[in-house]
């Protein structure tokens, strides 16, 4: 008589199903699900809307509450929605939503993926830094000493309170032999400064200046600017008209600069994505975008969400760009290492 034998595993049960087999079986089950393409329409719609906003953000109107500029200021944060939408697509078992979310992720990666990685290099012969020190800073001396430790050869400070200027001058004197202050902005340098003068950005008082820095590699024009603040108001939206007018004036001053090597440092109250700064950003290169480590968000200091403190260059090669430790200000200082060719 023929006998049949059954082989059992050592633990008394059958062998576990290989993970590849489970995946193929699960995929087959999903293919048999008639609702896989019908479910998740809302999730797919949200993902598609986010993709369209990222792709066509320049076409969003600014006529109503400067909606376009507001969106562009926080544009990278639209990517936060991707993980939540992806989880929803998986829970809903929706192929339609999954494809839409993956496309949204691809759009975000195309726009901002390059900012996530560290692009810094090892070269450079000039270190610069800028900091909005906050007029209400409770510790101006500590702030000055902190940014001086950055190793910057040229340091720009904005939102200088008149009564605090002597404190900054005294605290920075040991590190920086030369300095110039115009209104509420100033520049400190280890190299000789000349031709310091205010720059009119149509505000009625001085919040921008220009000086020539005589570096070992030659003369460099250093602009320091603090563009007007912007506000988000329930009855007026994103109010930025004065900031936009000042940006245009600053752009005109930069365009008229005769020196070929130019650095712009300061609080521009806008990101590189903000179309309102195009008169400035179209002729300058962001050190963070070219050689930064991550997004380099600088404001607000307690939870940075946007990079509105900028270091922009022309005729100079960025090598590295980073944020500095928090001080008593509501902004983080930012720094960059540059190569200035003779």
């Amino acid at each position: 008589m023929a006998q049949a034998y059954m082989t059992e595993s050592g633990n008394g049960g059958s062998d576990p199903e290989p993970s590849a087999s489970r995946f193929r079986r699960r995929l087959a089950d999903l293919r048999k699900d008639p609702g896989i393409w019908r479910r998740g329409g809302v999730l797919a719609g949200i993902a598609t809307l986010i993709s369209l906003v990222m792709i066509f953000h320049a076409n969003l109107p600014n006529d109503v509450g400067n909606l376009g500029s507001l969106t562009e200021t926080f544009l990278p944060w639209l990517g936060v929605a991707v993980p939540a939408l992806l989880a929803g697509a998986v829970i809903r078992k929706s192929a339609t939503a999954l494809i839409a979310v993956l496309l949204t992720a691809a759009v975000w990666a195309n726009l901002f993926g390059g900012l996530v990685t560290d692009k810094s290099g090892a070269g450079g012969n000039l270190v610069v830094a800028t900091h909005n020190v906050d007029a209400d800073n409770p510790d101006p001396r500590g702030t000055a000493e902190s940014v001086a430790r950055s190793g910057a050869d040229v340091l720009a400070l904005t939102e200088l309170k008149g009564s605090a200027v002597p404190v900054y001058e005294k605290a920075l004197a040991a590190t920086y032999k030369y300095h110039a202050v115009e209104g509420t902005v100033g520049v400190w340098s280890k190299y000789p400064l000349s031709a310091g003068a205010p720059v009119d950005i149509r505000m009625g008082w001085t919040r921008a200046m220009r000086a020539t820095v005589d570096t070992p590699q030659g003369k460099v024009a250093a602009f320091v600017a603090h563009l007007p603040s912007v506000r988000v108001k329930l009855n007026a939206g994103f109010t930025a008209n004065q900031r936009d007018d000042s940006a245009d004036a600053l752009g005109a001053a930069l365009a008229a600069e005769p020196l070929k090597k130019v650095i712009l440092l300061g609080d521009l109250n806008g990101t590189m994505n903000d179309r309102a700064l195009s008169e400035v950003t179209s002729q300058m290169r962001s050190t963070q975008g070219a050689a930064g480590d991550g997004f380099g968000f600088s404001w607000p200091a307690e939870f940075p969400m946007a990079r509105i403190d900028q270091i922009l260059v022309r005729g100079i090669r960025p090598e590295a760009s980073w944020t500095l430790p928090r001080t008593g200000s509501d902004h983080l200082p930012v720094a960059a290492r540059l190569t200035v060719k003779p």
Side-chain angles (χ1 to χ4, degrees):
M1 177 185 293
Q3 292 182 336
Y5 295 91
M6 179 180 292
T7 302
E8 296 184 352
S9 63
N11 60 6
S14 59
D15 291 333
E17 183 182 11
S19 58
S21 298
R22 288 199 304 270
F23 175 76
R24 286 194 294 268
R25 179 168 56 81
R26 184 59 178 160
L27 185 61
D29 292 341
L30 289 175
R31 288 173 177 170
K32 296 176 183 178
D33 183 356
I36 192 172
W37 296 104
R38 295 197 296 266
R39 289 190 298 267
V42 173
L43 292 171
I46 295 173
T48 301
L49 178 61
I50 293 174
S51 295
L52 291 174
V53 169
M54 288 192 291
I55 295 171
F56 299 108
H57 63 87
N59 300 106
L60 292 174
N62 252 352
D63 298 334
V64 180
N66 287 283
L67 176 63
S69 287
L70 175 60
T71 302
E72 288 165 338
T73 298
F74 301 102
L75 197 63
W77 287 96
L78 290 179
V80 173
V82 171
L85 292 171
L86 183 60
V90 172
I91 293 172
R92 290 284 290 152
K93 299 178 182 178
S94 169
T96 302
L98 181 61
I99 292 173
V101 174
L102 291 178
L103 289 174
T104 301
V107 171
W108 187 93
N110 181 61
L111 291 174
F112 305 110
L115 295 176
V116 177
T117 58
D118 184 358
K119 301 178 292 298
S120 59
N125 51 25
L126 182 70
V127 177
V128 299
T130 183
H131 189 26
N132 179 326
V133 296
D134 187 1
D136 298 321
N137 192 322
D139 184 21
R141 181 177 179 81
T143 295
E145 292 173 347
S146 177
V147 292
R149 288 193 294 269
S150 68
D153 301 305
V154 178
L155 170 65
L157 300 182
T158 63
E159 204 169 300
L160 289 167
K161 191 176 182 178
S163 59
V165 170
V167 179
Y168 287 104
E169 290 176 329
K170 183 178 180 180
L172 295 171
T175 305
Y176 300 98
K177 185 177 180 180
Y178 310 94
H179 82 280
V181 175
E182 298 286 348
T184 62
V185 299
V187 58
W188 277 256
S189 174
K190 295 178 181 179
Y191 305 122
L193 292 174
S194 62
V199 173
D200 182 11
I201 54 172
R202 305 173 190 167
M203 290 192 64
W205 70 96
T206 302
R207 289 201 354 177
M209 66 171 292
R210 178 216 176 273
T212 299
V213 184
D214 192 2
T215 75
Q217 290 74 36
K219 295 184 182 298
V220 174
F223 284 78
V224 183
H226 182 195
L227 296 187
S229 300
V230 295
R231 296 287 185 268
V232 180
K233 299 180 180 179
L234 293 177
N235 61 342
F238 189 62
T239 58
N241 292 334
Q242 189 179 26
R243 190 280 309 269
D244 299 351
D245 291 341
S246 291
D248 291 344
L250 179 59
L254 290 167
E257 172 56 48
L259 291 181
K260 293 184 177 181
K261 300 179 180 67
V262 184
I263 304 173
L264 170 62
L265 308 109
D267 175 7
L268 303 189
N269 269 306
T271 69
M272 295 300 290
N273 294 314
D274 191 338
R275 75 192 70 173
L277 301 183
S278 61
E279 292 297 322
V280 173
T281 58
S282 63
Q283 54 181 312
M284 305 288 286
R285 188 181 186 191
S286 165
T287 61
Q288 188 66 27
D293 181 4
F295 286 98
F297 294 148
S298 63
W299 177 87
E302 59 270 19
F303 188 81
M305 296 184 66
R307 184 180 177 89
I308 61 176
D309 300 276
Q310 307 288 357
I311 300 175
L312 308 179
V313 297
R314 186 173 73 209
I316 295 172
R317 186 171 72 243
E319 302 289 358
S321 188
W322 63 96
T323 57
L324 295 170
R326 185 179 178 182
T327 68
S329 171
D330 58 342
H331 292 242
L332 293 179
V334 299
R337 189 172 66 253
L338 314 171
T339 292
V340 181
K341 293 184 178 181

